PDB file of all heavy atoms in Angstrom:
ATOM      1  N   TRP A 110      93.419  94.352  92.702  1.00 97.00           N
ATOM      2  CA  TRP A 110      94.402  93.765  93.608  1.00 97.00           C
ATOM      3  C   TRP A 110      95.212  94.821  94.355  1.00 97.00           C
ATOM      4  O   TRP A 110      95.559  94.616  95.514  1.00 97.00           O
ATOM      5  CB  TRP A 110      95.302  92.814  92.835  1.00 97.00           C
ATOM      6  CG  TRP A 110      94.584  91.525  92.502  1.00 97.00           C
ATOM      7  CD1 TRP A 110      93.342  91.145  92.934  1.00 97.00           C
ATOM      8  CD2 TRP A 110      95.061  90.459  91.677  1.00 97.00           C
ATOM      9  NE1 TRP A 110      93.012  89.921  92.419  1.00 97.00           N
ATOM     10  CE2 TRP A 110      94.035  89.455  91.654  1.00 97.00           C
ATOM     11  CE3 TRP A 110      96.219  90.251  90.953  1.00 97.00           C
ATOM     12  CZ2 TRP A 110      94.180  88.273  90.926  1.00 97.00           C
ATOM     13  CZ3 TRP A 110      96.357  89.060  90.227  1.00 97.00           C
ATOM     14  CH2 TRP A 110      95.340  88.087  90.225  1.00 97.00           C
ATOM     15  N   ILE A 111      95.493  95.944  93.716  1.00 97.00           N
ATOM     16  CA  ILE A 111      96.211  97.013  94.416  1.00 97.00           C
ATOM     17  C   ILE A 111      95.365  97.573  95.548  1.00 97.00           C
ATOM     18  O   ILE A 111      95.882  97.922  96.624  1.00 97.00           O
ATOM     19  CB  ILE A 111      96.601  98.136  93.426  1.00 97.00           C
ATOM     20  CG1 ILE A 111      97.727  97.648  92.503  1.00 97.00           C
ATOM     21  CG2 ILE A 111      97.032  99.404  94.167  1.00 97.00           C
ATOM     22  CD1 ILE A 111      98.047  98.602  91.371  1.00 97.00           C
ATOM     23  N   ASN A 112      94.055  97.658  95.342  1.00 96.00           N
ATOM     24  CA  ASN A 112      93.166  98.239  96.345  1.00 96.00           C
ATOM     25  C   ASN A 112      92.524  97.209  97.264  1.00 96.00           C
ATOM     26  O   ASN A 112      91.605  97.540  98.019  1.00 96.00           O
ATOM     27  CB  ASN A 112      92.074  99.050  95.642  1.00 96.00           C
ATOM     28  CG  ASN A 112      92.615 100.330  95.038  1.00 96.00           C
ATOM     29  OD1 ASN A 112      92.857 101.318  95.730  1.00 96.00           O
ATOM     30  ND2 ASN A 112      92.822 100.315  93.724  1.00 96.00           N
ATOM     31  N   ARG A 113      93.014  95.995  97.219  1.00 94.00           N
ATOM     32  CA  ARG A 113      92.471  94.937  98.078  1.00 94.00           C
ATOM     33  C   ARG A 113      92.561  95.298  99.555  1.00 94.00           C
ATOM     34  O   ARG A 113      91.703  94.945 100.355  1.00 94.00           O
ATOM     35  CB  ARG A 113      93.227  93.639  97.784  1.00 94.00           C
ATOM     36  CG  ARG A 113      92.755  92.420  98.536  1.00 94.00           C
ATOM     37  CD  ARG A 113      93.497  91.192  98.050  1.00 94.00           C
ATOM     38  NE  ARG A 113      93.183  90.008  98.843  1.00 94.00           N
ATOM     39  CZ  ARG A 113      93.808  89.667  99.955  1.00 94.00           C
ATOM     40  NH1 ARG A 113      94.818  90.416 100.406  1.00 94.00           N
ATOM     41  NH2 ARG A 113      93.454  88.578 100.626  1.00 94.00           N
ATOM     42  N   GLY A 114      93.601  96.030  99.916  1.00 93.00           N
ATOM     43  CA  GLY A 114      93.789  96.410 101.312  1.00 93.00           C
ATOM     44  C   GLY A 114      92.826  97.474 101.807  1.00 93.00           C
ATOM     45  O   GLY A 114      92.822  97.809 102.997  1.00 93.00           O
ATOM     46  N   GLN A 115      91.997  98.034 100.922  1.00 93.00           N
ATOM     47  CA  GLN A 115      91.053  99.064 101.317  1.00 93.00           C
ATOM     48  C   GLN A 115      89.772  98.495 101.910  1.00 93.00           C
ATOM     49  O   GLN A 115      88.890  99.252 102.323  1.00 93.00           O
ATOM     50  CB  GLN A 115      90.698  99.945 100.102  1.00 93.00           C
ATOM     51  CG  GLN A 115      91.893 100.640  99.472  1.00 93.00           C
ATOM     52  CD  GLN A 115      92.659 101.483 100.484  1.00 93.00           C
ATOM     53  OE1 GLN A 115      92.074 102.299 101.188  1.00 93.00           O
ATOM     54  NE2 GLN A 115      93.970 101.279 100.550  1.00 93.00           N
ATOM     55  N   VAL A 116      89.648  97.169 101.920  1.00 94.00           N
ATOM     56  CA  VAL A 116      88.472  96.542 102.523  1.00 94.00           C
ATOM     57  C   VAL A 116      88.913  95.694 103.708  1.00 94.00           C
ATOM     58  O   VAL A 116      90.093  95.338 103.833  1.00 94.00           O
ATOM     59  CB  VAL A 116      87.714  95.665 101.493  1.00 94.00           C
ATOM     60  CG1 VAL A 116      87.275  96.519 100.306  1.00 94.00           C
ATOM     61  CG2 VAL A 116      88.556  94.491 101.020  1.00 94.00           C
ATOM     62  N   THR A 117      87.979  95.378 104.573  1.00 93.00           N
ATOM     63  CA  THR A 117      88.291  94.563 105.749  1.00 93.00           C
ATOM     64  C   THR A 117      88.542  93.115 105.322  1.00 93.00           C
ATOM     65  O   THR A 117      88.147  92.702 104.223  1.00 93.00           O
ATOM     66  CB  THR A 117      87.139  94.624 106.762  1.00 93.00           C
ATOM     67  OG1 THR A 117      85.930  94.211 106.115  1.00 93.00           O
ATOM     68  CG2 THR A 117      86.970  96.029 107.307  1.00 93.00           C
ATOM     69  N   PRO A 118      89.185  92.324 106.181  1.00 93.00           N
ATOM     70  CA  PRO A 118      89.515  90.936 105.824  1.00 93.00           C
ATOM     71  C   PRO A 118      88.319  90.114 105.360  1.00 93.00           C
ATOM     72  O   PRO A 118      88.487  89.180 104.559  1.00 93.00           O
ATOM     73  CB  PRO A 118      90.111  90.381 107.115  1.00 93.00           C
ATOM     74  CG  PRO A 118      90.740  91.574 107.771  1.00 93.00           C
ATOM     75  CD  PRO A 118      89.796  92.707 107.474  1.00 93.00           C
ATOM     76  N   ASN A 119      87.133  90.434 105.849  1.00 92.00           N
ATOM     77  CA  ASN A 119      85.943  89.676 105.452  1.00 92.00           C
ATOM     78  C   ASN A 119      85.655  89.742 103.951  1.00 92.00           C
ATOM     79  O   ASN A 119      84.961  88.868 103.416  1.00 92.00           O
ATOM     80  CB  ASN A 119      84.715  90.193 106.201  1.00 92.00           C
ATOM     81  CG  ASN A 119      84.710  89.770 107.656  1.00 92.00           C
ATOM     82  OD1 ASN A 119      85.234  88.721 108.011  1.00 92.00           O
ATOM     83  ND2 ASN A 119      84.123  90.585 108.509  1.00 92.00           N
ATOM     84  N   PHE A 120      86.184  90.771 103.280  1.00 94.00           N
ATOM     85  CA  PHE A 120      85.865  90.966 101.864  1.00 94.00           C
ATOM     86  C   PHE A 120      87.078  90.830 100.948  1.00 94.00           C
ATOM     87  O   PHE A 120      86.950  91.009  99.735  1.00 94.00           O
ATOM     88  CB  PHE A 120      85.220  92.347 101.658  1.00 94.00           C
ATOM     89  CG  PHE A 120      83.932  92.511 102.406  1.00 94.00           C
ATOM     90  CD1 PHE A 120      83.892  93.211 103.596  1.00 94.00           C
ATOM     91  CD2 PHE A 120      82.763  91.939 101.929  1.00 94.00           C
ATOM     92  CE1 PHE A 120      82.702  93.349 104.302  1.00 94.00           C
ATOM     93  CE2 PHE A 120      81.568  92.075 102.612  1.00 94.00           C
ATOM     94  CZ  PHE A 120      81.536  92.777 103.811  1.00 94.00           C
ATOM     95  N   ARG A 121      88.226  90.510 101.493  1.00 95.00           N
ATOM     96  CA  ARG A 121      89.423  90.445 100.657  1.00 95.00           C
ATOM     97  C   ARG A 121      89.412  89.256  99.712  1.00 95.00           C
ATOM     98  O   ARG A 121      89.913  89.345  98.582  1.00 95.00           O
ATOM     99  CB  ARG A 121      90.679  90.446 101.538  1.00 95.00           C
ATOM    100  CG  ARG A 121      90.920  91.823 102.135  1.00 95.00           C
ATOM    101  CD  ARG A 121      92.093  91.884 103.061  1.00 95.00           C
ATOM    102  NE  ARG A 121      92.061  93.170 103.788  1.00 95.00           N
ATOM    103  CZ  ARG A 121      92.696  93.398 104.919  1.00 95.00           C
ATOM    104  NH1 ARG A 121      93.443  92.439 105.463  1.00 95.00           N
ATOM    105  NH2 ARG A 121      92.603  94.572 105.506  1.00 95.00           N
ATOM    106  N   ALA A 122      88.842  88.137 100.142  1.00 95.00           N
ATOM    107  CA  ALA A 122      88.739  86.992  99.238  1.00 95.00           C
ATOM    108  C   ALA A 122      87.859  87.337  98.040  1.00 95.00           C
ATOM    109  O   ALA A 122      88.147  86.942  96.898  1.00 95.00           O
ATOM    110  CB  ALA A 122      88.170  85.782  99.980  1.00 95.00           C
ATOM    111  N   THR A 123      86.797  88.103  98.290  1.00 96.00           N
ATOM    112  CA  THR A 123      85.902  88.516  97.206  1.00 96.00           C
ATOM    113  C   THR A 123      86.654  89.365  96.186  1.00 96.00           C
ATOM    114  O   THR A 123      86.517  89.165  94.965  1.00 96.00           O
ATOM    115  CB  THR A 123      84.714  89.322  97.769  1.00 96.00           C
ATOM    116  OG1 THR A 123      84.057  88.547  98.764  1.00 96.00           O
ATOM    117  CG2 THR A 123      83.734  89.684  96.669  1.00 96.00           C
ATOM    118  N   ILE A 124      87.440  90.318  96.672  1.00 97.00           N
ATOM    119  CA  ILE A 124      88.180  91.200  95.758  1.00 97.00           C
ATOM    120  C   ILE A 124      89.277  90.430  95.025  1.00 97.00           C
ATOM    121  O   ILE A 124      89.569  90.707  93.858  1.00 97.00           O
ATOM    122  CB  ILE A 124      88.780  92.395  96.531  1.00 97.00           C
ATOM    123  CG1 ILE A 124      87.673  93.186  97.232  1.00 97.00           C
ATOM    124  CG2 ILE A 124      89.557  93.306  95.591  1.00 97.00           C
ATOM    125  CD1 ILE A 124      86.562  93.655  96.296  1.00 97.00           C
ATOM    126  N   THR A 125      89.854  89.444  95.696  1.00 97.00           N
ATOM    127  CA  THR A 125      90.841  88.594  95.031  1.00 97.00           C
ATOM    128  C   THR A 125      90.198  87.852  93.859  1.00 97.00           C
ATOM    129  O   THR A 125      90.759  87.784  92.753  1.00 97.00           O
ATOM    130  CB  THR A 125      91.443  87.583  96.015  1.00 97.00           C
ATOM    131  OG1 THR A 125      92.107  88.292  97.078  1.00 97.00           O
ATOM    132  CG2 THR A 125      92.452  86.675  95.320  1.00 97.00           C
ATOM    133  N   ILE A 126      89.012  87.297  94.079  1.00 97.00           N
ATOM    134  CA  ILE A 126      88.289  86.595  93.016  1.00 97.00           C
ATOM    135  C   ILE A 126      87.899  87.558  91.900  1.00 97.00           C
ATOM    136  O   ILE A 126      87.981  87.220  90.711  1.00 97.00           O
ATOM    137  CB  ILE A 126      87.040  85.893  93.586  1.00 97.00           C
ATOM    138  CG1 ILE A 126      87.464  84.761  94.524  1.00 97.00           C
ATOM    139  CG2 ILE A 126      86.157  85.356  92.461  1.00 97.00           C
ATOM    140  CD1 ILE A 126      86.316  84.121  95.270  1.00 97.00           C
ATOM    141  N   THR A 127      87.501  88.767  92.269  1.00 97.00           N
ATOM    142  CA  THR A 127      87.140  89.776  91.276  1.00 97.00           C
ATOM    143  C   THR A 127      88.308  90.046  90.333  1.00 97.00           C
ATOM    144  O   THR A 127      88.143  90.116  89.104  1.00 97.00           O
ATOM    145  CB  THR A 127      86.710  91.085  91.972  1.00 97.00           C
ATOM    146  OG1 THR A 127      85.614  90.811  92.851  1.00 97.00           O
ATOM    147  CG2 THR A 127      86.293  92.142  90.957  1.00 97.00           C
ATOM    148  N   GLY A 128      89.499  90.196  90.901  1.00 97.00           N
ATOM    149  CA  GLY A 128      90.686  90.405  90.077  1.00 97.00           C
ATOM    150  C   GLY A 128      91.058  89.173  89.280  1.00 97.00           C
ATOM    151  O   GLY A 128      91.566  89.283  88.154  1.00 97.00           O
ATOM    152  N   LEU A 129      90.816  87.991  89.841  1.00 98.00           N
ATOM    153  CA  LEU A 129      91.115  86.751  89.125  1.00 98.00           C
ATOM    154  C   LEU A 129      90.242  86.633  87.876  1.00 98.00           C
ATOM    155  O   LEU A 129      90.713  86.200  86.816  1.00 98.00           O
ATOM    156  CB  LEU A 129      90.883  85.552  90.049  1.00 98.00           C
ATOM    157  CG  LEU A 129      91.166  84.165  89.459  1.00 98.00           C
ATOM    158  CD1 LEU A 129      92.622  84.044  89.032  1.00 98.00           C
ATOM    159  CD2 LEU A 129      90.813  83.084  90.477  1.00 98.00           C
ATOM    160  N   VAL A 130      88.967  87.029  87.986  1.00 98.00           N
ATOM    161  CA  VAL A 130      88.056  86.985  86.841  1.00 98.00           C
ATOM    162  C   VAL A 130      88.590  87.845  85.698  1.00 98.00           C
ATOM    163  O   VAL A 130      88.661  87.410  84.543  1.00 98.00           O
ATOM    164  CB  VAL A 130      86.644  87.453  87.252  1.00 98.00           C
ATOM    165  CG1 VAL A 130      85.789  87.760  86.018  1.00 98.00           C
ATOM    166  CG2 VAL A 130      85.971  86.394  88.109  1.00 98.00           C
ATOM    167  N   THR A 131      88.971  89.077  86.009  1.00 98.00           N
ATOM    168  CA  THR A 131      89.458  89.968  84.947  1.00 98.00           C
ATOM    169  C   THR A 131      90.833  89.531  84.434  1.00 98.00           C
ATOM    170  O   THR A 131      91.154  89.759  83.257  1.00 98.00           O
ATOM    171  CB  THR A 131      89.512  91.425  85.438  1.00 98.00           C
ATOM    172  OG1 THR A 131      90.208  91.510  86.690  1.00 98.00           O
ATOM    173  CG2 THR A 131      88.102  91.982  85.627  1.00 98.00           C
ATOM    174  N   LEU A 132      91.636  88.897  85.282  1.00 98.00           N
ATOM    175  CA  LEU A 132      92.935  88.382  84.825  1.00 98.00           C
ATOM    176  C   LEU A 132      92.736  87.258  83.810  1.00 98.00           C
ATOM    177  O   LEU A 132      93.393  87.229  82.759  1.00 98.00           O
ATOM    178  CB  LEU A 132      93.751  87.879  86.011  1.00 98.00           C
ATOM    179  CG  LEU A 132      95.106  87.243  85.666  1.00 98.00           C
ATOM    180  CD1 LEU A 132      96.044  88.266  85.036  1.00 98.00           C
ATOM    181  CD2 LEU A 132      95.745  86.619  86.903  1.00 98.00           C
ATOM    182  N   ILE A 133      91.841  86.325  84.119  1.00 98.00           N
ATOM    183  CA  ILE A 133      91.553  85.226  83.192  1.00 98.00           C
ATOM    184  C   ILE A 133      91.023  85.787  81.878  1.00 98.00           C
ATOM    185  O   ILE A 133      91.415  85.344  80.785  1.00 98.00           O
ATOM    186  CB  ILE A 133      90.540  84.248  83.813  1.00 98.00           C
ATOM    187  CG1 ILE A 133      91.155  83.534  85.015  1.00 98.00           C
ATOM    188  CG2 ILE A 133      90.065  83.227  82.777  1.00 98.00           C
ATOM    189  CD1 ILE A 133      90.167  82.719  85.825  1.00 98.00           C
ATOM    190  N   ALA A 134      90.129  86.771  81.973  1.00 98.00           N
ATOM    191  CA  ALA A 134      89.573  87.378  80.763  1.00 98.00           C
ATOM    192  C   ALA A 134      90.659  88.078  79.954  1.00 98.00           C
ATOM    193  O   ALA A 134      90.691  87.982  78.722  1.00 98.00           O
ATOM    194  CB  ALA A 134      88.468  88.362  81.132  1.00 98.00           C
ATOM    195  N   ALA A 135      91.557  88.794  80.639  1.00 98.00           N
ATOM    196  CA  ALA A 135      92.638  89.497  79.941  1.00 98.00           C
ATOM    197  C   ALA A 135      93.511  88.503  79.169  1.00 98.00           C
ATOM    198  O   ALA A 135      93.852  88.738  77.999  1.00 98.00           O
ATOM    199  CB  ALA A 135      93.488  90.277  80.939  1.00 98.00           C
ATOM    200  N   TYR A 136      93.857  87.399  79.808  1.00 98.00           N
ATOM    201  CA  TYR A 136      94.691  86.389  79.144  1.00 98.00           C
ATOM    202  C   TYR A 136      94.003  85.845  77.892  1.00 98.00           C
ATOM    203  O   TYR A 136      94.610  85.752  76.818  1.00 98.00           O
ATOM    204  CB  TYR A 136      94.997  85.240  80.109  1.00 98.00           C
ATOM    205  CG  TYR A 136      95.611  84.042  79.414  1.00 98.00           C
ATOM    206  CD1 TYR A 136      96.952  84.044  79.035  1.00 98.00           C
ATOM    207  CD2 TYR A 136      94.840  82.921  79.114  1.00 98.00           C
ATOM    208  CE1 TYR A 136      97.508  82.962  78.378  1.00 98.00           C
ATOM    209  CE2 TYR A 136      95.393  81.837  78.457  1.00 98.00           C
ATOM    210  CZ  TYR A 136      96.729  81.857  78.092  1.00 98.00           C
ATOM    211  OH  TYR A 136      97.279  80.779  77.434  1.00 98.00           O
ATOM    212  N   ASN A 137      92.734  85.489  78.023  1.00 97.00           N
ATOM    213  CA  ASN A 137      92.030  84.888  76.890  1.00 97.00           C
ATOM    214  C   ASN A 137      91.784  85.897  75.778  1.00 97.00           C
ATOM    215  O   ASN A 137      91.799  85.525  74.594  1.00 97.00           O
ATOM    216  CB  ASN A 137      90.723  84.254  77.361  1.00 97.00           C
ATOM    217  CG  ASN A 137      90.953  82.912  78.024  1.00 97.00           C
ATOM    218  OD1 ASN A 137      91.275  81.924  77.383  1.00 97.00           O
ATOM    219  ND2 ASN A 137      90.814  82.875  79.342  1.00 97.00           N
ATOM    220  N   TYR A 138      91.580  87.168  76.118  1.00 97.00           N
ATOM    221  CA  TYR A 138      91.433  88.173  75.061  1.00 97.00           C
ATOM    222  C   TYR A 138      92.756  88.428  74.353  1.00 97.00           C
ATOM    223  O   TYR A 138      92.781  88.692  73.150  1.00 97.00           O
ATOM    224  CB  TYR A 138      90.847  89.472  75.610  1.00 97.00           C
ATOM    225  CG  TYR A 138      89.350  89.489  75.475  1.00 97.00           C
ATOM    226  CD1 TYR A 138      88.539  89.083  76.526  1.00 97.00           C
ATOM    227  CD2 TYR A 138      88.730  89.859  74.278  1.00 97.00           C
ATOM    228  CE1 TYR A 138      87.162  89.042  76.392  1.00 97.00           C
ATOM    229  CE2 TYR A 138      87.362  89.817  74.132  1.00 97.00           C
ATOM    230  CZ  TYR A 138      86.579  89.418  75.194  1.00 97.00           C
ATOM    231  OH  TYR A 138      85.221  89.362  75.043  1.00 97.00           O
ATOM    232  N   PHE A 139      93.856  88.330  75.072  1.00 97.00           N
ATOM    233  CA  PHE A 139      95.161  88.448  74.432  1.00 97.00           C
ATOM    234  C   PHE A 139      95.372  87.301  73.445  1.00 97.00           C
ATOM    235  O   PHE A 139      95.827  87.516  72.311  1.00 97.00           O
ATOM    236  CB  PHE A 139      96.266  88.436  75.491  1.00 97.00           C
ATOM    237  CG  PHE A 139      97.656  88.477  74.916  1.00 97.00           C
ATOM    238  CD1 PHE A 139      98.147  89.628  74.301  1.00 97.00           C
ATOM    239  CD2 PHE A 139      98.467  87.356  74.978  1.00 97.00           C
ATOM    240  CE1 PHE A 139      99.426  89.651  73.759  1.00 97.00           C
ATOM    241  CE2 PHE A 139      99.749  87.384  74.441  1.00 97.00           C
ATOM    242  CZ  PHE A 139     100.226  88.529  73.835  1.00 97.00           C
ATOM    243  N   ARG A 140      94.980  86.089  73.864  1.00 97.00           N
ATOM    244  CA  ARG A 140      95.122  84.940  72.976  1.00 97.00           C
ATOM    245  C   ARG A 140      94.172  85.041  71.778  1.00 97.00           C
ATOM    246  O   ARG A 140      94.539  84.660  70.665  1.00 97.00           O
ATOM    247  CB  ARG A 140      94.858  83.638  73.741  1.00 97.00           C
ATOM    248  CG  ARG A 140      95.882  83.321  74.821  1.00 97.00           C
ATOM    249  CD  ARG A 140      97.304  83.251  74.260  1.00 97.00           C
ATOM    250  NE  ARG A 140      97.432  82.308  73.174  1.00 97.00           N
ATOM    251  CZ  ARG A 140      97.695  81.014  73.315  1.00 97.00           C
ATOM    252  NH1 ARG A 140      97.872  80.514  74.531  1.00 97.00           N
ATOM    253  NH2 ARG A 140      97.820  80.218  72.262  1.00 97.00           N
ATOM    254  N   MET A 141      92.973  85.570  71.999  1.00 96.00           N
ATOM    255  CA  MET A 141      92.051  85.743  70.869  1.00 96.00           C
ATOM    256  C   MET A 141      92.586  86.770  69.880  1.00 96.00           C
ATOM    257  O   MET A 141      92.458  86.611  68.663  1.00 96.00           O
ATOM    258  CB  MET A 141      90.667  86.152  71.378  1.00 96.00           C
ATOM    259  CG  MET A 141      89.842  84.995  71.904  1.00 96.00           C
ATOM    260  SD  MET A 141      88.098  85.406  72.130  1.00 96.00           S
ATOM    261  CE  MET A 141      88.181  86.497  73.541  1.00 96.00           C
ATOM    262  N   PHE A 142      93.197  87.835  70.403  1.00 96.00           N
ATOM    263  CA  PHE A 142      93.797  88.843  69.526  1.00 96.00           C
ATOM    264  C   PHE A 142      94.903  88.213  68.678  1.00 96.00           C
ATOM    265  O   PHE A 142      94.979  88.444  67.464  1.00 96.00           O
ATOM    266  CB  PHE A 142      94.354  89.995  70.358  1.00 96.00           C
ATOM    267  CG  PHE A 142      95.096  91.014  69.548  1.00 96.00           C
ATOM    268  CD1 PHE A 142      94.412  91.954  68.787  1.00 96.00           C
ATOM    269  CD2 PHE A 142      96.485  91.040  69.534  1.00 96.00           C
ATOM    270  CE1 PHE A 142      95.096  92.888  68.023  1.00 96.00           C
ATOM    271  CE2 PHE A 142      97.178  91.971  68.774  1.00 96.00           C
ATOM    272  CZ  PHE A 142      96.477  92.906  68.020  1.00 96.00           C
ATOM    273  N   GLN A 143      95.747  87.412  69.317  1.00 96.00           N
ATOM    274  CA  GLN A 143      96.813  86.732  68.573  1.00 96.00           C
ATOM    275  C   GLN A 143      96.234  85.809  67.502  1.00 96.00           C
ATOM    276  O   GLN A 143      96.726  85.775  66.367  1.00 96.00           O
ATOM    277  CB  GLN A 143      97.682  85.909  69.536  1.00 96.00           C
ATOM    278  CG  GLN A 143      98.601  86.715  70.432  1.00 96.00           C
ATOM    279  CD  GLN A 143      99.454  85.812  71.290  1.00 96.00           C
ATOM    280  OE1 GLN A 143      98.963  84.852  71.896  1.00 96.00           O
ATOM    281  NE2 GLN A 143     100.751  86.094  71.353  1.00 96.00           N
ATOM    282  N   SER A 144      95.199  85.059  67.878  1.00 96.00           N
ATOM    283  CA  SER A 144      94.595  84.124  66.942  1.00 96.00           C
ATOM    284  C   SER A 144      93.922  84.849  65.780  1.00 96.00           C
ATOM    285  O   SER A 144      94.014  84.405  64.623  1.00 96.00           O
ATOM    286  CB  SER A 144      93.567  83.250  67.673  1.00 96.00           C
ATOM    287  OG  SER A 144      92.987  82.309  66.807  1.00 96.00           O
ATOM    288  N   TRP A 145      93.276  85.971  66.077  1.00 95.00           N
ATOM    289  CA  TRP A 145      92.622  86.756  65.028  1.00 95.00           C
ATOM    290  C   TRP A 145      93.655  87.293  64.036  1.00 95.00           C
ATOM    291  O   TRP A 145      93.462  87.234  62.813  1.00 95.00           O
ATOM    292  CB  TRP A 145      91.848  87.899  65.660  1.00 95.00           C
ATOM    293  CG  TRP A 145      91.041  88.725  64.700  1.00 95.00           C
ATOM    294  CD1 TRP A 145      91.351  89.956  64.199  1.00 95.00           C
ATOM    295  CD2 TRP A 145      89.770  88.378  64.126  1.00 95.00           C
ATOM    296  NE1 TRP A 145      90.364  90.405  63.354  1.00 95.00           N
ATOM    297  CE2 TRP A 145      89.380  89.449  63.288  1.00 95.00           C
ATOM    298  CE3 TRP A 145      88.938  87.273  64.234  1.00 95.00           C
ATOM    299  CZ2 TRP A 145      88.182  89.436  62.580  1.00 95.00           C
ATOM    300  CZ3 TRP A 145      87.745  87.260  63.522  1.00 95.00           C
ATOM    301  CH2 TRP A 145      87.393  88.334  62.704  1.00 95.00           C
ATOM    302  N   GLU A 146      94.755  87.830  64.559  1.00 94.00           N
ATOM    303  CA  GLU A 146      95.813  88.358  63.699  1.00 94.00           C
ATOM    304  C   GLU A 146      96.466  87.246  62.879  1.00 94.00           C
ATOM    305  O   GLU A 146      96.945  87.491  61.767  1.00 94.00           O
ATOM    306  CB  GLU A 146      96.871  89.058  64.566  1.00 94.00           C
ATOM    307  CG  GLU A 146      96.396  90.337  65.227  1.00 94.00           C
ATOM    308  CD  GLU A 146      96.284  91.490  64.241  1.00 94.00           C
ATOM    309  OE1 GLU A 146      97.236  91.723  63.498  1.00 94.00           O
ATOM    310  OE2 GLU A 146      95.216  92.137  64.236  1.00 94.00           O
TER     311      GLU A 146
END
C-alpha cells in the first residue's frame, strides 16, 4: 500500500487487492496465534 503510487492508475486496484489479501491473512494468523496460545 505504501508503494501503490509507484504504478500507473491502471494497476493501482490490483496492488490494493494484493495488500488486502495479506491484510486478511495477517488478521487471521493473529487470531490463530491467540487461539493456539
Side-chain angles (χ1 to χ4, degrees):
W110 286 353
I111 288 172
N112 289 282
R113 183 174 174 273
Q115 301 304 309
V116 301
T117 56
N119 286 330
F120 299 101
R121 287 177 192 160
T123 305
I124 302 305
T125 299
I126 293 173
T127 302
L129 181 60
V130 165
T131 50
L132 177 64
I133 293 171
Y136 168 77
N137 282 288
Y138 267 95
F139 177 70
R140 294 303 304 273
M141 280 194 289
F142 175 77
Q143 287 183 314
S144 182
W145 184 258
E146 292 286 311

